[in-house]
Amino acid sequence: MASINPLNGKLGLRKAKHLLRRATFNYTKEQLDIFANMTATEAVNSIATNPTNVLSEPYDPLPTDAPDGFWTSSGQHPNTFSGSGRKRSHVTAWWWYNAINQVSLKHKLSFFLHTSFTVAKDLGVGYSEFFYDHIRLLDFYALGNIKTLAKKITLDNAMLDYLDNTQNNKNNPNENYAREYLELFTILKGEQIGEGNYTNYTEIDIQQAAKVFSGFKKQYDRNGNIDADTNLPTGYLNIYQHDTNNKTFSSAFGNKVITGRNTTTGIFEELDDFVDMVFNQPETAKAYCRKLYRYFVKSKWDATIETDVIEPLAELLIDNNYEILPVVKKLLTSEHFYDIGDGNETDNIIGALIKSPLQLLSEIFSIFSVSFPDPKTEPSLFYKNFFFWFIHGTYFKAAGMEFYNPDSVAGYPPYYQEPNFDQIWFSSNTIIGRYKIIESLIIGRNTINPNAKIYTSIDTVAFIEDKIAIDIAKDPNTLVVQLAELLYPESIDTDRANYFKQFLIEDSNDYYWSGAWQKYINTHSEDDKLTVKTRLDALIIAMVNAAEFQLM
């Protein structure tokens, strides 16, 4: 039986690895050691905080002769600046830098909200400032209230542009946002039971929702409207373009009638009434809990999980008026999350998900303590050379994930597309990007394309010296096992360890590596370091590109 009762006792290494991977983008040996000595509740509470960003805002180092700098806080009109596409990538660089430099659930949940309320940064959100405000809105509610976000997102300038609701008027209705709001963002379709009837809502409901949303417009001047709760710029209401008639919904919503209003206060009350109506449906809570389960636990589940896990979590979400944190805490501290008590050894949760390109990248950078240009002191190297050209423009594209830019409003296929789900991350089209990221970092050049300097690299010798005891590293057998324990969700067997050991000893015996390592420790000469580094480079590339590391 799958139980969402709390897990008792210390996590230990295996469960600590599982939690740290699933709940954060910062995976380090130091944090594993801390988590291993905590209970699940203690560990989750420690990351369920809202830290101040280590990088306060993005920076544009271009044009070279007069950088636009901190353009998002300049106070100037968005149309003042050129290079909006470049600037949107710098916003994602800012977000990722914060995500990998903090051990926080906030960033994992912020990206979850991106998969739930999708916009694509280069496919219709407009100005880079709009996209920046959108990301900050998701960050603001990452540990907060989904229902409140579902109201606020309607006035988000990026969303207004992306799904055309800024063009939605009483005399010329545009149903794009209304359709996706129901189909993708909140209650979801359900099984189609007739023409225009999707169980959870109907085409009539889309038409009526569009009337509720009519008159909300994007605001070009970011100083024009500031939301009192988030302190973020928002769109505005054109009261004269709002449909003031009553909105009558289908039997899916109990034939609810939302009274039309003709004042600013009244029209926002219409929006409140509509959101309340949608979120009062039990299927809305279930939809979010299924998304959370797929995001944090597994992409597929059976009827038992639906009954024992999804439905109780949905009830908890409703009981907490759609506060997300109590539900996520309940899930991440449960026996079920850690594979306890389900009685099925062939259906494990630990190691059951294929890492997204974002997770893969973030783990590699954090576990190997990869240094790269500091955005505060070397903004041009960080934003332009390292992130824009290598991470954003090369790695993510090659690995099959346009970062914050899915090709449709449905989002990234691994989070919704049956029957393969997360398996879509790993295919013949994405394998080059996934495999060459570690090679690029060790060589210090972009081996994916176009073989340019990337301004970062991994010193594998320093990594071993820092993370593995020197005496342990001398024994190739123990070294491989220790690395596997650090890198992989599960322990490896002797045959697998012997396979990896060959990258250290080649066709020699164990003493070849032991002697080379000891000689380096004694001399620390460049020649002796090169000898062990060559072997360690080969080992690390093999272990990172192994199937075990692709899983979490």
Side-chain angles (χ1 to χ4, degrees), residues 434-436 438-439 540-547 549-550:
R434 295 180 74 98
Y435 279 6
K436 283 189 174 288
I438 185 64
E439 177 186 285
I540 296 298
I541 290 173
M543 294 191 76
V544 167
N545 286 341
F549 190 77
Q550 305 299 314

Side-chain angles (χ1 to χ4, degrees), residues 486-500:
L486 185 60
L487 298 177
Y488 299 157
E490 303 282 17
S491 301
I492 59 174
D493 60 25
T494 302
D495 288 343
R496 197 68 171 141
N498 285 335
Y499 166 76
F500 288 124

Side-chain angles (χ1 to χ4, degrees), residues 412-426:
Y412 308 97
Y415 294 119
Y416 70 86
Q417 190 166 297
E418 299 182 67
N420 294 326
F421 295 109
D422 56 295
Q423 295 176 32
I424 297 170
W425 289 130
F426 199 91

Side-chain angles (χ1 to χ4, degrees), residues 387-532:
F387 195 86
F388 182 72
W389 290 115
F390 176 50
I391 301 299
H392 178 274
T394 301
Y395 164 70
F396 274 124
K397 289 181 182 294
M401 184 185 210
E402 293 269 358
F403 195 36
Y404 276 100
N405 195 47
D407 61 9
S408 80
V409 66
Y412 308 97
Y415 294 119
Y416 70 86
Q417 190 166 297
E418 299 182 67
N420 294 326
F421 295 109
D422 56 295
Q423 295 176 32
I424 297 170
W425 289 130
F426 199 91
S427 71
S428 59
N429 294 325
T430 65
I431 195 170
I432 297 299
R434 295 180 74 98
Y435 279 6
K436 283 189 174 288
I437 182 65
I438 185 64
E439 177 186 285
S440 296
L441 292 172
I442 284 178
I443 294 174
R445 296 188 68 82
N446 185 346
T447 63
I448 306 170
N449 179 43
N451 202 34
K453 188 176 180 181
I454 59 176
Y455 298 92
T456 184
S457 63
I458 296 174
D459 185 336
T460 54
V461 179
F463 166 73
I464 295 299
E465 289 184 284
D466 186 43
K467 308 300 181 185
I468 308 293
I470 291 175
D471 288 344
I472 290 177
K474 183 178 179 180
D475 181 347
N477 300 286
T478 309
L479 173 57
V480 166
V481 170
Q482 288 288 310
L483 281 174
E485 287 297 308
L486 185 60
L487 298 177
Y488 299 157
E490 303 282 17
S491 301
I492 59 174
D493 60 25
T494 302
D495 288 343
R496 197 68 171 141
N498 285 335
Y499 166 76
F500 288 124
K501 184 176 72 170
Q502 297 306 309
F503 291 93
L504 289 176
I505 68 174
E506 292 188 301
D507 296 327
S508 302
N509 295 317
D510 291 2
Y511 63 76
Y512 165 79
W513 168 257
S514 299
W517 178 257
Q518 189 61 56
K519 185 178 180 184
Y520 163 70
I521 293 301
N522 292 339
T523 67
H524 275 83
S525 73
E526 287 301 314
D527 287 344
D528 290 336
K529 180 178 181 178
L530 180 59
T531 298
V532 295

Side-chain angles (χ1 to χ4, degrees), residues 221-236:
D221 180 4
R222 293 170 69 234
N223 298 311
N225 290 286
I226 304 297
D227 182 77
D229 297 323
T230 65
N231 201 35
L232 294 173
T234 73
Y236 72 100

Side-chain angles (χ1 to χ4, degrees), residues 136-191:
R136 290 194 294 162
L137 181 64
L138 300 185
D139 278 357
F140 187 90
Y141 286 104
L143 302 174
N145 195 286
I146 301 176
K147 180 179 176 181
T148 304
L149 173 61
K151 294 179 184 179
K152 303 284 189 183
I153 202 103
T154 300
L155 271 292
D156 172 61
N157 282 307
M159 184 64 79
L160 282 163
D161 238 358
Y162 180 60
L163 288 179
D164 307 318
N165 203 67
T166 193
Q167 302 171 23
N168 181 18
N169 306 318
K170 63 180 180 180
N171 296 322
N172 187 24
N174 186 304
E175 298 175 358
N176 285 1
Y177 178 62
R179 181 175 302 279
E180 308 307 357
Y181 192 94
L182 294 174
E183 180 178 341
L184 300 174
F185 297 169
T186 57
I187 196 169
L188 310 188
K189 273 187 173 183
E191 183 179 351

